[in-house]
Amino acid sequence: MSDEKDSLWRQMLAKRAEWAAEQPSLSAELKAMGREAIKDVRNTLHETYFGQPEHMPEMGTPLNPTPQMTTQDLGTVHGSYESMLDSYAARAQEQDHTQEQQR
């Protein structure tokens, strides 16, 4: 019975490690929260002093990264997204090969 408990415990720990590996980076999440807080404060001050909201910042500036930069920072680029892109590339190659054979 002790071996069964150890085995079950190991399985639970392995599953937890798998789930933890799929989670985004905590530092990236904290950076994003900090950026949003700074934007909120700036927007509130701008509305208070000038009576209108601040204009939208340009993409790629220090407090406004592009979506690609954010995704890379979170560490969620690998895994299912890359495998999906690989499957699309494989399908395209198969279609090209099929079209060549039909000619």
Side-chain angles (χ1 to χ4, degrees), residues 2-76:
S2 177
D3 291 335
E4 291 176 15
K5 284 184 180 180
D6 288 342
S7 175
L8 183 61
W9 186 251
R10 285 191 186 111
Q11 289 176 355
M12 288 173 44
L13 289 176
K15 192 61 169 174
R16 185 199 171 282
E18 179 184 332
W19 287 337
E22 294 173 358
Q23 297 302 310
S25 167
L26 177 63
S27 63
E29 293 286 336
L30 293 174
K31 285 184 209 176
M33 289 170 33
R35 281 193 306 269
E36 288 301 314
I38 290 170
K39 286 185 211 176
D40 288 344
V41 169
R42 286 181 57 173
N43 196 30
T44 301
L45 290 173
H46 204 59
E47 282 186 26
T48 302
Y49 289 111
F50 302 111
Q52 61 186 7
E54 187 177 20
H55 63 15
M56 292 300 297
E58 190 174 327
M59 295 293 277
T61 57
L63 289 177
N64 193 25
T66 63
Q68 292 84 3
M69 292 164 68
T70 304
T71 304
Q72 287 173 345
D73 198 21
L74 288 172
T76 56

